[in-house]
């Protein structure tokens, strides 16, 4: 998978530009991502679960989330490898959902209502070019991920990912053949803020997050197990597909987080019970969850 990713980003710019994402289709290649209103120093390639298309259209009727994947011409192996990897990540994610429920002492199928084969998960391939002399900007500016949870493959040699905790930035050093599970916060009700430094060793850096997301019509709201008279629901329920479209349309992150925090934190919190903070699971251990 990582070799196929490297080969893709080594393609000529014109080839990649033919599958550039657009205002109507968030999938494909791009080099113009703004995070926190600042241009990131990276190229990306996004693709998603096309089985979510029909269900998403029924919720939003907008066509944004319902756009198709764009695969580069003449690269059948790239497509094949990525689709296979995506399928594996989906399978692992469904297993992790149950593991999270188990850690929370709620029925193992508690989250099944939010996910089915139309889950709107997507995969992002990141390419960060080496830092240019005098360049001060971040490769990827600080942010929280909007999905339910993230399974990240990092470049084992070129580091750069950091998370913010107790007022300072901390490195997430990659382990060989490990997946970094994005539960890197002990702030129970906060998604972890993280960023990526530009590669400083003269080498480019690659990473590949898989964002596991609910089905389009899943209503995102606090799980009943966490609503008590002392802790009433703070955030309004919203169908997931509407939330996604708002975010893609550029709605301010703070507004979106109003909707995401409780539900996402539910999983992040439970995951912390399973994994050490900045939990990196050896790849084989993760697959053993099957
Ligand atoms: O490159 C990384 O290690 C992290 C990437 C990331 O945070 C993202 O794409 O949302
Ligand atoms: Fe991220």
């Amino acid at each position: 998978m990582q070799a196929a990713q490297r080969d893709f980003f080594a393609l000529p710019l014109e080839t990649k530009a033919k599958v550039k994402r657009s205002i109507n289709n968030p999938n494909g290649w791009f080099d113009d991502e703004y995070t926190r209103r600042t241009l990131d120093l990276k190229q990306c390639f996004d693709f998603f679960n096309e089985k979510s298309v029909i269900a998403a259209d029924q919720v939003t009727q907008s066509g944004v989330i319902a756009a198709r994947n764009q695969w580069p011409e003449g690269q059948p192996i790239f497509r094949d490898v990525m689709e296979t990897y995506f399928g594996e990540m989906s399978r692992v994610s469904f297993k992790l959902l149950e593991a999270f429920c188990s850690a929370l002492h709620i029925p193992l199928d508690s989250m099944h209502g939010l996910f089915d084969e139309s889950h709107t998960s997507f995969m992002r391939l990141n390419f960060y070019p080496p830092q240019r002399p005098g360049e001060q900007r971040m490769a990827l500016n600080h942010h929280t991920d909007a999905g339910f949870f993230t399974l990240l493959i990092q470049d084992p040699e070129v580091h750069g990912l950091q998370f913010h905790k107790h007022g300072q930035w901390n490195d997430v050093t990659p382990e060989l053949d490990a997946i970094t599970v994005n539960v890197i916060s002990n702030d129970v009700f906060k998604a972890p803020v993280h960023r990526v430094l530009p590669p400083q060793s003269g080498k480019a850096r690659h990473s590949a997050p898989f964002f596991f997301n609910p089905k389009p019509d899943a209503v995102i709201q606090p799980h009943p197990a966490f609503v008590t008279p002392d802790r009433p629901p703070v955030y309004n329920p919203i169908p997931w597909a509407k939330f996604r479209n708002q975010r893609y349309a550029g709605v301010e992150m703070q507004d979106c987080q109003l909707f995401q925090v409780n539900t996402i934190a539910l999983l992040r919190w439970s995951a912390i019970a399973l994994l050490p903070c900045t939990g990196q699971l050896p790849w084989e251990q993760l697959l053993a969850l099957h």
Side-chain angles (χ1 to χ4, degrees):
M1 196 288 283
Q2 287 164 300
Q5 175 172 359
R6 281 170 193 276
D7 290 349
F8 170 76
F9 285 112
L11 289 172
L13 262 185
E14 314 86 76
T15 312
K16 292 183 280 191
K18 281 191 189 143
V19 292
K20 190 165 193 301
R21 76 175 181 188
S22 67
I23 193 81
N24 293 317
N25 189 349
N27 306 293
W29 174 85
F30 51 96
D31 61 354
D32 52 2
E33 174 93 328
Y34 283 76
T35 305
R36 298 270 164 166
R37 297 206 182 100
T38 314
L39 184 66
D40 299 324
L41 301 175
K42 62 172 185 176
Q43 295 180 28
C44 299
F45 180 83
D46 283 6
F47 58 100
F48 82 128
N49 177 23
E50 287 187 322
K51 287 192 189 142
S52 66
V53 167
I54 293 167
D57 236 7
Q58 280 164 1
V59 178
T60 64
Q61 275 135 29
S62 72
V64 171
I65 203 169
R68 297 287 172 156
N69 286 329
Q70 304 195 78
W71 297 103
E73 248 176 53
Q75 303 292 328
I77 295 176
F78 174 71
R79 177 175 180 168
D80 195 41
V81 167
M82 292 306 158
E83 287 184 336
T84 304
Y85 182 81
F86 192 97
E88 283 298 295
M89 285 297 98
S90 306
R91 235 149 45 95
V92 166
S93 297
F94 274 96
K95 285 291 165 194
L96 275 175
L97 262 191
E98 290 179 7
F100 293 155
C101 292
S102 155
L104 277 170
H105 307 295
I106 56 178
L108 291 192
D109 61 359
S110 296
M111 299 288 166
H112 285 185
L114 298 177
F115 296 84
D116 64 15
E117 62 161 18
S118 70
H119 63 96
T120 59
S121 307
F122 75 101
M123 178 92 206
R124 168 164 294 175
L125 307 179
N126 285 314
F127 166 82
Y128 306 97
Q131 189 176 33
R132 285 199 304 236
E135 179 61 74
Q136 297 298 318
R137 282 177 296 164
M138 284 294 134
L140 168 54
N141 290 292
H142 68 277
H143 67 283
T144 53
D145 294 345
F148 233 65
F149 58 75
T150 308
L151 301 178
L152 174 73
I153 293 269
Q154 287 199 71
D155 193 315
E157 284 172 16
V158 189
H159 305 178
L161 178 61
Q162 295 188 317
F163 71 100
H164 198 256
K165 193 176 162 196
H166 301 321
Q168 62 182 39
W169 288 101
N170 306 273
D171 293 334
V172 184
T173 309
E175 287 173 23
L176 197 62
D177 290 336
I179 287 193
T180 304
V181 180
N182 192 9
V183 286
I184 52 182
S185 168
N186 270 336
D187 290 331
V188 170
F189 290 108
K190 275 193 190 147
V193 175
H194 54 287
R195 68 181 188 183
V196 177
L197 302 176
Q200 281 148 31
S201 60
K203 284 189 190 164
R205 176 173 182 269
H206 295 79
S207 72
F210 171 84
F211 301 102
F212 188 51
N213 287 336
K215 61 184 184 170
D217 58 344
V219 176
I220 304 302
Q221 59 189 335
H223 189 280
F226 290 84
V227 179
T228 62
D230 296 341
R231 194 197 288 151
V234 182
Y235 304 112
N236 298 324
I238 182 172
W240 174 256
K242 285 197 176 157
F243 164 65
R244 277 293 301 279
N245 277 7
Q246 279 182 18
R247 190 164 156 129
Y248 190 63
V251 175
E252 269 298 292
M253 201 140 159
Q254 281 84 347
D255 300 339
C256 290
Q257 280 185 343
L258 291 184
F259 302 116
Q260 98 186 52
V261 165
N262 271 0
T263 314
I264 305 303
L266 163 68
L267 286 177
R268 294 228 156 91
W269 189 18
S270 60
I272 286 161
L274 288 170
L275 308 168
C277 187
T278 74
Q280 298 197 52
L281 274 184
W283 179 226
E284 297 203 336
Q285 210 174 314
L286 194 63
L287 288 180
L289 287 168
H290 274 225

